[in-house]
Amino acid sequence: MKKILFTTLLASSALLIFAKPANAEEVGSMESDLGIRFDTDGPVQPGPGPFKDNLALVWTPSKFDFGRQAATANIATYSNTVAGDQYIVVNDDRQGTETGEEGAKVVTTSAWKVTASLSKLVSKDSSATELPSKLTFTLGDAQSYNIGEVDPDTNDFLPNPIEGNLGTLADPNNICLLYTSRCV
């Protein structure tokens, strides 16, 4: 048994000594794009807080994604590929200032507005040419939102999910929807 093992090892060594390495000649090469993106849990993302006794964004759209499109020289329309409804939810439970005469109590807080901005759409090559573009949104009516209960550990709201916590506004005449240039 030892002789067979020794003979096999000796033959294998001889083959390795006299073997010529094989080299493949490179004919050409190509590159492929590679990317990875980690999506959020849904079409909206929570704001950072704190929410209680503050004016705060509770939920905002997580992203707008128009997919990967083929280049075209013509005018083209692309739709947002994010599944589900996207909301902007604002919580305003600031403590107001009390004013009034002879026992009349009036609580007031300052008005607020939400403004969104979009950076310029530019090409990715070295020229950084600005590309003509326009975003169009179809917005629904403003609704109320039940933010949830106060967490005793943090003394802040734990925001409810949007689904199942929307309702009709108590005073819809107090909201001005600037995106349509009308007040409701």
Side-chain angles (χ1 to χ4, degrees):
M1 180 70 180
K2 289 184 181 181
K3 280 187 178 184
I4 294 175
L5 182 61
F6 178 71
T7 307
T8 304
L9 287 173
L10 186 60
S12 298
S13 300
L15 285 175
L16 288 175
I17 292 172
F18 298 111
K20 184 177 180 181
N23 291 327
E25 186 175 328
E26 186 175 322
V27 176
S29 65
M30 293 181 71
E31 292 183 7
S32 295
D33 290 336
L34 175 67
I36 186 167
R37 178 176 51 212
F38 297 98
D39 290 334
T40 61
D41 291 336
V44 291
Q45 62 188 357
F51 306 109
K52 187 172 180 275
D53 300 329
N54 285 302
L55 174 63
L57 288 170
V58 182
W59 296 100
T60 59
S62 58
K63 67 179 176 179
F64 296 104
D65 187 352
F66 299 95
R68 190 174 185 100
Q69 308 295 334
T72 178
N74 297 324
I75 294 174
T77 300
Y78 306 110
S79 297
N80 187 10
T81 62
V82 175
D85 293 332
Q86 294 178 295
Y87 295 91
I88 295 176
V89 176
V90 179
N91 181 58
D92 184 4
D93 68 338
R94 298 174 288 174
Q95 301 301 315
T97 58
E98 295 183 20
T99 59
E101 298 177 22
E102 299 179 22
K105 184 176 180 182
V106 179
V107 178
T108 61
T109 58
S110 60
W112 53 268
K113 68 178 179 177
V114 175
T115 304
S117 63
L118 177 69
S119 61
K120 293 179 181 176
L121 184 63
V122 295
S123 63
K124 288 179 73 174
D125 62 11
S126 60
S127 68
T129 306
E130 186 176 339
L131 303 172
S133 59
K134 179 175 94 173
L135 286 178
T136 305
F137 292 92
T138 303
L139 302 176
D141 292 332
Q143 298 175 328
S144 67
Y145 167 73
N146 178 6
I147 193 167
E149 302 297 323
V150 175
D151 179 9
D153 295 333
T154 62
N155 195 32
D156 197 9
F157 289 114
L158 291 173
N160 282 325
I162 294 172
E163 292 78 22
N165 291 295
L166 296 177
T168 306
L169 289 172
D171 186 9
N173 296 322
N174 196 22
I175 294 179
C176 190
L177 304 173
L178 298 176
Y179 63 88
T180 59
S181 301
R182 67 181 171 95
C183 291
V184 293

